[in-house]
Amino acid sequence: PEETVTSSFASFIHGVQPEHLSKIVRHRSKRMILDSIGVGLVGSTTHVFDIALQYCQLYSSVAVSSVYGKPGIKLSPTLAAFTNGVATHSMDFDDTWHPATHPSGAILPALLAASQMLPPSTKPNGMDFLLAFNVGLEVQGRLMHFSTEAHNIPKRFHPPSVVGTMGSAAATAKLLSLSTAQCAHALGIAASLAGAPMANAATQAKPLHIGNATRLGFEAALLAARGMEANPLILDDIPGCSGFSVFYSVYQPKPLSTPSDHHEFLLEKQDIAFKRFPAHLGMHWVVDAALSVRNLFIHYEGSFSPSLIRTIVLKIPVSKYINRPFPSSEHEARHSFQFNACTALLDGEVGLSSFTESSIHRQELRELLDKVVVEHPEDNVANFDKMYGEVELLLHSGDVLTGKCDTFYGHWRKPLSKESLLKKFRSNASHVLPEEKIETIITMVDNLENLSDSSQL
């Protein structure tokens, strides 16, 4: 039969082998796995995670899969994936790719849960696990590249709820060794389970997007394994009949090449952004710009004194859901250019404690927020690869101080060092794990290719 886009993806998922992963792809994906586990662990301390966990405990009939930060609790595999996905995005602390999505949280929880679900005789090894993880990444990345719309900060659908669900289905299908036909059906089923509106950004519902993506993709693979079928042309652009194209106004799919020794994974060409503090990625530009201008202020005045500031000008791209002048909750604060810039100015840093209720509602912070004016320069586009953040302080003296950030530390153009990534992981994991377990996880992920049973992770 004639090859289609969908069949090419299915053939890739089924046929790709460990030897197709280059050294740099293995290295980068292991960094993602470690960071995502740490983010999930600290995320298990949040209120939204507790809500999700309490819900899932109502349905734990086959409790075999572990939950982040809760050593005494196990859930059924798909609900464990859901709960751990919620934990991963509960603070908006998880990794970000370009085109924009949160790739790890949508697939890692499903693979962890599936590894524990499988019987001892069929446990995947560490290399199987690493390969499935990269299959999930590759499918997400390829689908994002089918639309120019996906390259910009999203307006309609939250990307991980769309491509993340497909990536989870592909990754789990690979780990479960589904046939080529079953892989195609898993993608088709997942497409019917995908999608969440951007209007729920900056609310407790947003972490559900990641939880649902990893869970529903997992369920799609399980349904395909049991014989459920779906449209075999789900990824193709069929006039008059929307498949995956329903999520994008412009959609131009291309076949995925048959895996070979020369296949170049997208992760080889496009590194990942790791966040230094728990907030929307766009905040990292304005925070670094604010810290830069704060240092200038201290250099000239000797200390930071908010009373000397008349106006704070933020020059940012147009993006409605992260332009929030006076956030009232932690989730709104994580999605507010104004809040993060002013917090950085006031405290000289942004961290976990910045988003507590007491920090958000400080009088001195409110006074700074009252001074903020937002501008949208035409050259500052809503694109994580092209945008910048600029913070300008207009002082009562008439002086003007400016800080600008084109590429923050942690961006794919300026990756976190190994030391910085490990520091972040240890800090996050220390909220729920003792030091010896933290070091065991670091060692296990670093040597994932040699792990005989991935369920040990």
Side-chain angles (χ1 to χ4, degrees), residues 289-299 304 344-348:
L291 293 176
S292 175
V293 76
R294 186 180 193 272
N295 289 335
L296 276 178
F297 191 110
I298 293 172
H299 176 75
F304 184 75
L345 287 172
L346 190 62
D347 301 333

Side-chain angles (χ1 to χ4, degrees), residues 183-247:
C183 290
H185 291 310
L187 293 173
I189 297 166
S192 283
L193 304 175
M198 284 305 303
N200 268 328
T203 73
Q204 287 186 337
K206 190 187 179 198
L208 301 183
H209 299 175
I210 301 291
N212 276 332
T214 192
R215 170 195 179 181
L216 296 174
F218 187 177
E219 290 183 354
L222 292 176
L223 289 167
R226 283 155 178 76
M228 181 172 284
E229 298 179 350
N231 192 317
L233 300 175
I234 198 68
L235 301 183
D236 292 79
D237 188 16
I238 307 298
C241 184
S242 293
F244 191 75
S245 63
V246 72
F247 296 109

Side-chain angles (χ1 to χ4, degrees), residues 118-124 453:
L118 292 169
S121 60
T122 59
K123 292 287 188 190
D453 176 2

Side-chain angles (χ1 to χ4, degrees), residues 250-418:
V250 177
Y251 181 74
Q252 298 175 315
K254 297 178 181 178
L256 185 55
S257 61
T258 303
S260 68
D261 294 337
H262 304 293
H263 177 80
E264 187 176 43
F265 282 78
L266 289 178
L267 188 58
E268 181 122 23
K269 299 181 286 186
Q270 173 65 65
D271 205 348
I272 295 288
F274 293 109
K275 299 178 180 179
R276 304 195 318 276
F277 54 90
H280 183 278
L281 192 73
M283 305 305 109
H284 290 67
W285 276 273
V286 297
V287 165
D288 278 13
L291 293 176
S292 175
V293 76
R294 186 180 193 272
N295 289 335
L296 276 178
F297 191 110
I298 293 172
H299 176 75
Y300 286 109
E301 301 292 342
S303 63
F304 184 75
S305 178
S307 63
L308 299 179
I309 301 173
R310 177 169 57 86
T311 305
I312 301 169
V313 180
L314 300 186
K315 297 182 179 181
I316 54 176
V318 176
S319 186
K320 187 174 182 179
Y321 78 98
I322 46 180
N323 182 359
R324 298 177 182 271
F326 300 103
S328 60
S329 70
E330 63 161 305
H331 294 283
E332 289 183 359
R334 297 184 201 279
H335 294 74
S336 168
F337 278 124
Q338 294 89 334
F339 174 87
N340 285 273
C342 289
T343 297
L345 287 172
L346 190 62
D347 301 333
E349 63 178 358
V350 177
L352 291 176
S353 62
S354 301
F355 302 95
T356 61
E357 187 171 349
S358 58
S359 293
I360 293 169
H361 297 291
R362 289 177 290 170
Q363 180 60 32
E364 57 268 40
L365 180 62
R366 174 62 189 240
E367 290 172 359
L368 273 186
L369 289 170
D370 283 332
K371 299 180 180 183
V372 173
V373 173
V374 169
E375 294 181 0
H376 301 298
E378 289 185 5
D379 67 334
N380 199 356
V381 296
N383 181 303
F384 290 142
D385 206 37
K386 300 175 181 178
M387 66 173 283
Y388 62 85
E390 187 171 326
V391 180
E392 193 173 75
L393 303 183
L394 310 182
L395 307 184
H396 287 293
S397 65
D399 291 335
V400 178
L401 302 177
T402 302
K404 184 175 181 179
C405 175
D406 296 302
T407 304
F408 65 85
Y409 180 47
H411 191 275
W412 45 83
R413 290 193 299 267
K414 198 175 182 180
L416 290 185
S417 67
K418 179 179 180 180

